[in-house]
Amino acid sequence: MGIFHNSSLGLFLLRLGLGGMMILHGIHKLGNPGSIQFIGGKLTSMGLPEFMAYGVFAGEVIAPLLIIAGFYSRLGSLLVAVNMIFALVLVHSHQLLLLNNQGGWQLELQGFFLITALALLFTGSGRFAIKPD
């Protein structure tokens, strides 16, 4: 029963899951500059400066690396949460109340990223981290 009462291991797995899945989105954007132009266009249509689009690299590359390593993981989690709020507002707001063909929420992945980032923001990295917080 003791092995199943290890919150630090659970937090480590949450960090690997969130960071590992989020960084793939960042790598994709690094290889596709059109993604930044698309995000920049969405930002300017809302009256925000286009250069803010580069913030996606903080939320989808730097933050996942911090989270995975457990180095300032609360900061990394905050960056991911802010990134996801921007994604929900800029790109996915029309899907907030929609279901997919299997009956699930259309924004399951975005919701997972946001909720997991918030959970890690409030709990910290756990012991299995470069710099536990």
Side-chain angles (χ1 to χ4, degrees):
M1 195 177 237
I3 191 168
F4 297 111
H5 291 283
N6 190 332
S7 59
S8 287
L9 180 58
L11 291 170
F12 176 67
L13 292 172
L14 281 176
R15 287 187 4 244
L16 287 181
L18 175 61
M21 286 189 271
M22 182 57 77
I23 200 164
L24 296 174
H25 290 268
I27 291 169
H28 175 75
K29 286 180 180 69
L30 284 171
N32 295 288
S35 300
I36 298 302
Q37 293 168 338
F38 172 77
I39 295 167
K42 291 287 190 179
L43 287 165
T44 57
S45 73
M46 296 186 73
L48 296 168
E50 187 175 11
F51 76 86
M52 287 179 64
Y54 290 96
V56 75
F57 295 124
E60 295 186 9
V61 177
I62 296 168
L65 291 172
L66 294 173
I67 291 167
I68 291 168
F71 184 76
Y72 292 100
S73 58
R74 287 183 196 261
L75 173 62
S77 297
L78 177 63
L79 290 172
V80 168
V82 169
N83 187 73
M84 292 317 305
I85 290 168
F86 268 91
L88 289 168
V89 171
L90 293 176
V91 182
H92 300 289
S93 58
H94 68 283
Q95 297 171 289
L96 282 174
L97 301 176
L98 299 178
L99 301 178
N100 62 28
N101 292 337
Q102 293 78 37
W105 186 32
Q106 279 195 5
L107 301 177
E108 287 176 345
L109 182 60
Q110 294 82 0
F112 167 81
F113 287 154
L114 178 58
I115 297 301
T116 305
L118 291 173
L120 287 170
L121 175 64
F122 292 120
T123 61
S125 61
R127 283 187 332 216
F128 304 129
I130 290 175
K131 184 181 181 298
D133 56 2

